[in-house]
Amino acid sequence: MLHNGPVIPEAMSSTLPQPDDSSSAPSVAQDLLVRAHPAEAGHYDELRASDGTLRPAWQTFANHFGASLDDLSRRQEWLARQIQEDGITYNVYNAQTGPSRPWSLEALPLILSAQEWAGLERGVAQRADLLNRVLWGTYGEQSLLKQALLPSALVLGHPGYLRGLQGIQPVGGIYLHVLALDLTRGPDGQWWVVTQRTQAPSGLGYVMQNRLLVSRLFPETYRALNVQHLASGYRRLLDTLTTLAQSCAGGQTPRLALLTPGPYNETYFEHAYLARYLGLPLVEGDDLVVREEGLFLKTVQGLEPIHGLLRRLDDNFCDPLELRSDSTLGVAGLMQAVRARKVVLANALGTGFVESPAIQGFLPALSEHLLGEPLALPSLPTWWCGEASAWQSVQPRLAHHVIRHSYPRSGEVVVGRNLSPEELQTWRECIDQEPSAYTVQSYVPYAQAPVWSAGQVSLRGAALRVYALSDGQGGWQVLPGGMARIAARDSGVVSMQHGGSSLDTWVLTDGHVDTFSMLPTAMKVDELIQRQRPVASRTGENLFWMGRYTERCEQQLRLVQCLNELQSGDDKPHEALLQALSDLSVQHGLVPTDTPTLTLAPRVFERALLEALGDPQASQGAYSLAFNLAALERSAQVLRERLSPAHARLLRAMGTDFRQTLSGDLADDAAGGPMLVQALGALDQLGVQLGAVTGAQTDRMTRDPGWRLLTVGRLIERLVGYASALQAFWTHKALAHHDAFDPLLDLFDSTITFRARFQRRLEVPALLALLVMDETNPRALACVLRRLRTELSKLPTQEGEADDWLALLPAEGVGVTLAELSDPRRGHQAMTDLLNQLQELGCRLSDEVGRRYFAHALPTDLMVSA
């Protein structure tokens, strides 16, 4: 059966217009027309009307621009700089230069008049209602399948139809809380629905970010055009999810979260941004667990119930038990929690099959049947090839249409006009073999929107993504505007993955501008308590390792600087000192384990050290500075919502800066190899940056359990690292030689304190008093243990666990006296035993932290908090 839709008109030509002398701002309006290339023949021109003049909205834009058009270059540069500074990114899969690139946003907006938006708004709201009813009619009594209004083969054969949810009504009866439609204009200005996104529509975070940036570029113009604001739509989404989740919360205030696939997802930035904007914790599948059919968030305080999830994870990845078993992104048992009506998911599971382009061919009839009215916003004429009559009717005209996959599959849309006769025949044969897998749609050329580029205005193909938000009671609010995406070239594919860009979308209004703000109003006490958001276990674990990696980088840096000082010194170091530093370098991962020591082959050791310094992959088996800086950056990437922009920028830049500076500094010497002294500039720069990172961690982070875990991680790394450093010097009896004092003091960052207190009295008891026993020296082992006792006691614990923490540590100091360590007969062994115990203690504490706060290996009844 052929599913007819409106006929797309033939292509219309565009002509280059003459300047409009009647404009109240003739210079800007005329300049805009002169610099803008006309739209290609057959494409709708968003800038010009059919008579060649500026469209009314753009005329108003020109009237209030208030500057020369050349000022757009400066504003575009500011925009790019702001995106870079704010760390707004988009992850490109399989990119050779790395997955993450800055988000692309153009200065000029897409402008829609109030009249045309009113028509779009009605059509989008109607389609949202229709699709929600379609889902009811397929998961409920399956009336649409029984009446053959939808082919059973198309619905039940689609992997997005989840049979395990057949007959299960979602909480509140709402399947679609957020619907996204991708639209484009035909040559005559008619809007068409190209695709519909129903599982986990992306872009809401980018929409708000685009608006905040572009409205600052043109503040006067933005106000003068009466552009409708966006914030109330986001509030509607949050209110709807909160209201629906109340039935799952048992009378308590519902707890909500935003579920993300993680930092490697293409739109992870907007997940973090949207979570922060809505005030929701950002969680991954590993952060959640299902217990007794309820969904819980693993936090360092215990398990806390979650009653609503705004998910950005596609259906198949949500539950490895019942859906994709090869995925670790979801939550085992989530489907059962949904069936038990213990959690609200936005959108509900099982909506994926509605995204199939084949469904669009049946919507005109479904609209008449379910709504009693025609579609206000038409889909492209569509033929599902699983119907033999539809495929036979469209097959001769395949060259004038596009071919899409009916079911999820890799591969792009195939445009028939771009295929050779041989390729067309190959596609015909392919569809003949498996007709239900393909859908054919009419081809419509994308409208072209103005973009400022290199002092000119170019027109590029544009598609508009708009969003409908459910109010939970059968009504819909359409977000005024959305995210327009443009092609990378004048007539290219509209795709962010293929280098496209985005435009802010301004919807003008003839009435009142909604000035609602997401800024909080007066709150109840229980709401204030909930705003003190729990620290998710994954967040705590990343903070813990951020602390460890930061300390590890500092210790490695000091050890490399110490080796550099020895190399550039005039005196030959004693063999015991060189052996101690060689052992330390292996322990700290600066060189591979099989590297000859400094006493055997100093040049080979030096080359191995330099090769490892800038190797983030640890390809030689040495986990040196570049590797740990990369690990620190990865930890920071998943903590985006907790770090200040300056802190996050510094962590992102530190590893890259170090590798680039190191690569530029190293040069071959006369002997044919690089010298360690040449790395001094990169090391000094890194030292300054690490100092800034430490300051941000110490002075600019909230003292919640997450920060305490970061501090504990840093202290554990310091305890183990400093104990191993002292042990290396102690084992090789390097301190019997005075030339070892300064290197050891440098490793402990205590040189100035030692000289101020003891002048040049190079005696071992004085050294031990400062580096082991002094609780006022933050680098001394006793001070590290004192701070560990303090921070561990403040971490959230179950009853009786606080005593267990403290029982692992010495009650005071390091557990032995300075006199015992300085005893001529037993002091050496006492010191050896102490250092071994402290290293074992550090490893034990690390394991205990992981078990208690990250793995949650405790009985359920002891872990669940109300």
Side-chain angles (χ1 to χ4, degrees):
M1 175 172 98
L2 173 62
H3 300 282
N4 292 315
V7 178
I8 298 178
E10 294 295 328
M12 296 187 300
S13 62
S14 299
T15 57
L16 188 64
Q18 297 298 316
D20 180 9
D21 295 330
S22 64
S23 170
S24 59
S27 58
V28 175
Q30 291 177 15
D31 202 13
L32 191 57
L33 287 170
V34 169
R35 297 201 193 194
H37 299 291
E40 295 180 8
H43 296 261
Y44 183 85
D45 193 326
E46 294 283 355
L47 182 67
R48 294 180 176 86
S50 57
D51 61 358
T53 61
L54 288 179
R55 296 192 181 276
W58 279 106
Q59 183 66 58
T60 307
F61 182 92
N63 293 346
H64 294 89
F65 185 65
S68 166
L69 208 57
D70 289 320
D71 192 53
L72 281 174
S73 295
R74 180 184 61 83
R75 301 189 196 202
Q76 188 75 53
E77 291 173 2
W78 176 90
L79 192 61
R81 185 169 60 251
Q82 195 66 38
I83 288 172
Q84 187 75 36
E85 290 177 356
D86 290 347
I88 308 172
T89 57
Y90 180 81
N91 297 335
V92 181
Y93 295 135
N94 301 322
Q96 296 180 352
T97 57
S100 182
R101 66 173 172 85
W103 176 246
S104 184
L105 173 63
E106 304 299 327
L108 292 176
L110 178 69
I111 307 177
L112 302 177
S113 69
Q115 182 179 5
E116 62 185 336
W117 177 252
L120 275 179
E121 190 174 31
R122 287 192 300 272
V124 172
Q126 181 206 51
R127 182 168 292 236
D129 186 23
L130 173 61
L131 292 179
N132 199 64
R133 291 171 185 254
V134 168
L135 288 162
W136 262 99
T138 50
Y139 279 106
E141 297 180 355
Q142 297 188 325
S143 57
L144 299 183
L145 305 184
K146 295 175 182 177
Q147 299 175 45
L149 291 168
L150 273 175
S152 296
L154 173 60
V155 175
L156 301 181
H158 196 291
Y161 184 84
L162 303 184
R163 296 171 183 265
L165 295 178
Q166 165 63 36
I168 303 300
Q169 178 183 346
V171 177
I174 305 298
Y175 283 91
L176 299 177
H177 307 79
V178 183
L179 170 68
L181 299 178
D182 290 325
L183 313 175
T184 190
R185 291 189 204 254
D188 64 345
Q190 168 69 56
W191 286 97
W192 299 90
V193 177
V194 179
T195 56
Q196 45 201 29
R197 304 298 182 188
T198 57
Q199 292 189 75
S202 65
L204 279 174
Y206 287 125
V207 168
M208 179 55 72
Q209 184 70 70
N210 285 359
R211 173 58 54 85
L212 293 175
L213 291 173
V214 174
S215 62
R216 291 167 62 188
L217 282 182
F218 311 104
E220 296 298 330
T221 310
Y222 180 77
R223 286 191 290 269
L225 264 66
N226 235 24
V227 180
Q228 191 59 275
H229 294 184
L230 302 172
S232 62
Y234 292 82
R235 170 53 64 185
R236 169 62 56 85
L237 173 62
L238 197 58
D239 288 346
T240 298
L241 192 54
T242 301
T243 301
L244 293 174
Q246 285 177 350
S247 63
C248 307
Q252 299 180 358
T253 301
R255 290 189 171 105
L256 311 177
L258 193 152
L259 177 62
T260 174
Y264 296 106
N265 182 262
E266 58 185 349
T267 57
Y268 178 72
F269 167 83
E270 71 133 348
H271 303 175
Y273 179 85
L274 188 60
R276 183 184 301 157
Y277 184 72
L278 296 176
L280 302 179
L282 182 67
V283 300
E284 296 181 24
D286 283 343
D287 296 330
L288 302 170
V289 64
V290 174
R291 299 282 171 85
E292 298 179 355
E293 298 185 332
L295 183 66
F296 294 87
L297 172 64
K298 294 185 284 188
T299 78
V300 299
Q301 294 92 343
L303 297 185
E304 299 201 359
I306 293 293
H307 309 106
L309 274 182
L310 178 60
R311 66 181 178 98
R312 292 302 315 278
L313 187 62
D314 284 349
D315 289 353
N316 283 343
F317 298 95
C318 283
D319 187 343
L321 285 182
E322 299 193 46
L323 302 172
R324 283 192 58 164
S325 59
D326 61 339
S327 171
T328 60
L329 299 177
V331 185
L334 184 59
M335 287 269 284
Q336 184 56 33
V338 169
R339 282 192 287 261
R341 301 173 65 81
K342 294 290 187 69
V343 63
V344 176
L345 264 61
N347 288 337
L349 291 174
T351 60
F353 79 92
V354 184
E355 294 185 346
S356 171
I359 294 291
Q360 295 192 45
F362 300 89
L363 290 183
L366 287 170
S367 181
E368 295 284 358
H369 175 76
L370 295 174
L371 303 179
E373 58 188 21
L375 277 178
L377 186 61
S379 297
L380 295 173
T382 302
W383 297 264
W384 178 49
C385 299
E387 291 185 319
S389 60
W391 170 228
Q392 290 174 4
S393 66
V394 78
Q395 183 178 6
R397 295 174 285 117
L398 195 61
H400 305 288
H401 294 74
V402 297
I403 305 169
R404 297 178 182 270
H405 294 289
S406 301
Y407 309 122
R409 187 182 297 182
S410 60
E412 299 178 357
V413 175
V414 178
V415 180
R417 62 191 296 178
N418 296 335
L419 300 177
S420 66
E422 293 78 14
E423 290 171 329
L424 273 171
Q425 183 57 32
T426 300
W427 272 105
R428 289 191 181 97
E429 295 171 358
C430 184
I431 296 175
D432 280 336
Q433 293 176 2
E434 192 180 2
S436 64
Y438 298 96
T439 297
V440 176
Q441 288 184 319
S442 290
Y443 171 79
V444 59
Y446 283 103
Q448 294 188 335
V451 176
W452 181 259
S453 176
Q456 298 295 322
V457 178
S458 61
L459 294 185
R460 298 183 189 173
L464 174 62
R465 176 166 292 188
V466 295
Y467 300 86
L469 309 172
S470 170
D471 65 2
Q473 300 176 350
W476 300 87
Q477 177 178 347
V478 181
L479 198 68
M483 182 175 65
R485 294 170 297 158
I486 61 170
R489 303 182 307 277
D490 288 359
S491 57
V493 62
V494 177
S495 169
M496 301 300 292
Q497 284 285 337
H498 291 84
S501 188
S502 66
L503 309 174
D504 187 21
T505 304
W506 291 5
V507 172
L508 311 188
T509 176
D510 295 330
H512 175 68
V513 172
D514 183 0
T515 58
F516 172 81
S517 171
M518 285 288 285
L519 293 175
T521 57
M523 302 179 68
K524 300 177 182 178
V525 173
D526 62 338
E527 292 177 321
L528 289 170
I529 294 173
Q530 186 181 351
R531 288 292 176 132
Q532 299 172 5
R533 285 189 287 171
V535 178
S537 294
R538 176 181 54 86
T539 299
E541 185 171 13
N542 279 287
L543 286 166
F544 176 77
W545 280 101
M546 176 182 282
R548 294 198 68 168
Y549 285 132
T550 303
E551 181 66 27
R552 192 172 295 179
C553 287
E554 282 200 3
Q555 291 184 25
Q556 287 183 326
L557 174 64
R558 290 196 170 277
L559 182 52
V560 175
Q561 289 174 325
C562 177
L563 292 168
N564 187 46
E565 287 289 332
L566 287 181
Q567 183 197 63
S568 58
D570 295 331
D571 299 331
K572 182 179 180 181
H574 194 277
E575 184 174 329
L577 172 60
L578 294 176
Q579 192 63 48
L581 293 174
S582 297
D583 287 359
L584 271 181
S585 297
V586 172
Q587 292 174 26
H588 282 268
L590 293 179
V591 294
T593 55
D594 58 352
T595 304
T597 65
L598 283 165
T599 57
L600 294 177
R603 291 290 287 169
V604 174
F605 184 94
E606 184 182 10
R607 287 195 184 95
L609 177 65
L610 281 172
E611 287 178 3
L613 271 184
D615 179 12
Q617 305 300 326
S619 55
Q620 304 299 320
Y623 301 90
S624 190
L625 269 169
F627 177 86
N628 284 297
L629 288 171
L632 181 58
E633 182 180 355
R634 287 193 295 272
S635 295
Q637 187 177 11
V638 297
L639 293 168
R640 184 190 296 266
E641 76 275 13
R642 290 187 60 97
L643 304 178
S644 69
H647 191 179
R649 283 197 300 271
L650 181 58
L651 289 168
R652 287 196 301 270
M654 197 158 51
T656 302
D657 290 350
F658 176 71
R659 292 192 299 272
Q660 290 178 348
T661 306
L662 181 66
S663 176
D665 286 348
L666 293 180
D668 291 344
D669 64 1
M675 298 288 290
L676 181 57
V677 69
Q678 293 169 293
L680 185 59
L683 296 172
D684 287 345
Q685 177 181 322
L686 178 60
V688 173
Q689 291 177 316
L690 279 172
V693 167
T694 301
Q697 293 175 357
T698 303
D699 196 44
R700 296 191 175 184
M701 295 183 69
T702 305
R703 263 53 171 174
D704 63 359
W707 178 84
R708 298 199 184 282
L709 283 169
L710 182 150
T711 304
V712 166
R714 181 153 194 167
L715 291 172
I716 287 175
E717 191 71 30
R718 183 173 294 182
L719 179 68
V720 173
Y722 284 0
S724 65
L726 196 50
Q727 186 181 51
F729 279 68
W730 199 258
T731 300
H732 292 286
K733 300 181 179 179
L735 295 177
H737 311 280
H738 290 171
D739 65 347
F741 273 62
D742 281 345
L744 183 60
L745 288 168
D746 285 341
L747 292 178
F748 275 73
D749 193 18
S750 299
T751 302
I752 294 176
T753 305
F754 185 86
R755 289 178 180 173
R757 190 174 299 178
F758 302 109
Q759 288 77 46
R760 295 300 299 174
R761 298 189 63 176
L762 303 181
E763 300 177 19
V764 172
L767 196 69
L768 297 183
L770 179 64
L771 302 186
V772 179
M773 311 300 298
D774 189 352
E775 293 194 10
T776 66
N777 177 15
R779 307 286 173 165
L781 299 177
C783 185
V784 174
L785 289 169
R786 177 180 62 79
R787 293 186 61 197
L788 272 172
R789 285 191 289 269
T790 299
E791 297 303 335
L792 289 172
S793 67
K794 292 181 179 180
L795 283 172
T797 56
Q798 300 295 334
E799 184 176 353
E801 284 187 341
D803 295 336
D804 295 343
W805 280 122
L806 299 179
L808 296 174
L809 282 77
E812 293 183 355
V814 295
V816 296
T817 65
L818 181 60
E820 292 176 285
L821 298 180
S822 302
D823 186 276
R825 290 185 300 170
R826 289 174 290 193
H828 183 83
Q829 187 59 45
M831 186 66 181
T832 300
D833 293 343
L834 172 64
L835 296 175
N836 286 332
Q837 291 169 7
L838 293 181
Q839 291 179 78
E840 291 175 3
L841 171 62
C843 296
R844 173 75 184 279
L845 285 175
S846 182
D847 290 342
E848 283 295 304
V849 168
R851 182 181 68 83
R852 296 188 185 196
Y853 297 118
F854 312 145
H856 288 276
L858 291 174
T860 303
D861 57 347
L862 295 179
M863 295 168 59
V864 177
S865 60

